[in-house]
């Protein structure tokens, strides 16, 4: 092992966003703004979806658009989020992880 190998830094983990509550057309703007900031500051974002109690098609649109723009990892999706992803088949496209730790490890 060379000296440079020992001091090679690991890339910083992506920021974690942990929204809570319901997300629809009327409540999505703050989350959309947080995602935009996270994407511009670092490459990738982890969305801890464990406390989302409702999500509609506007939330789905935001998630899919974010997935196309950056490394999006969705951690611990709540039953409401999981159901939405399964209904439209997004669960086959998105990077879903059972826990936040798993999402950060990948």
């Amino acid at each position: 092992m060379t000296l440079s190998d020992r001091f090679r830094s690991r890339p910083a983990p992506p920021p974690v966003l942990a929204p809570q509550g319901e997300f629809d057309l009327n409540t999505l703007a703050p989350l959309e703004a947080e995602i935009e900031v996270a994407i511009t500051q670092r490459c990738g974002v982890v969305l801890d979806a464990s406390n989302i109690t409702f999500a509609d098609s506007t939330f789905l649109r935001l998630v899919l658009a974010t997935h196309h723009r950056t490394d999006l990892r969705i951690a611990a999706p709540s039953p409401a989020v999981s159901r939405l992803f399964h209904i439209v088949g997004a669960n086959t496209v998105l990077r879903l992880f059972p826990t936040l730790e798993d999402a950060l490890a990948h």
Side-chain angles (χ1 to χ4, degrees), residues 39-75:
I39 289 172
T40 59
Q41 290 180 349
R42 294 217 191 117
C43 184
V45 65
V46 174
L47 181 66
D48 178 351
S50 61
N51 291 311
I52 297 175
T53 56
F54 174 80
D56 72 358
S57 62
T58 57
F59 172 83
L60 179 64
R61 176 201 52 79
L62 174 61
V63 167
L64 292 172
T66 303
H67 167 76
H68 288 290
R69 291 180 60 202
T70 193
D71 173 23
L72 174 64
R73 305 172 202 173
I74 300 173

Side-chain angles (χ1 to χ4, degrees), residues 14 45-50 67 71-78 81-82 85 91 93-106:
V45 65
V46 174
L47 181 66
D48 178 351
S50 61
H67 167 76
D71 173 23
L72 174 64
R73 305 172 202 173
I74 300 173
S78 69
V81 172
S82 291
F85 291 164
N91 59 311
V93 176
L94 298 171
R95 296 180 64 202
L96 305 173
F97 298 89
T99 67
L100 179 58
E101 292 77 21
D102 289 334
L104 289 170
H106 288 88

Side-chain angles (χ1 to χ4, degrees), residues 4-23:
S4 63
D5 289 335
R6 256 193 276 165
F7 292 104
R8 189 170 295 167
S9 63
R10 292 181 142 189
V16 175
L17 301 180
Q20 299 180 12
E22 299 183 355
F23 291 92

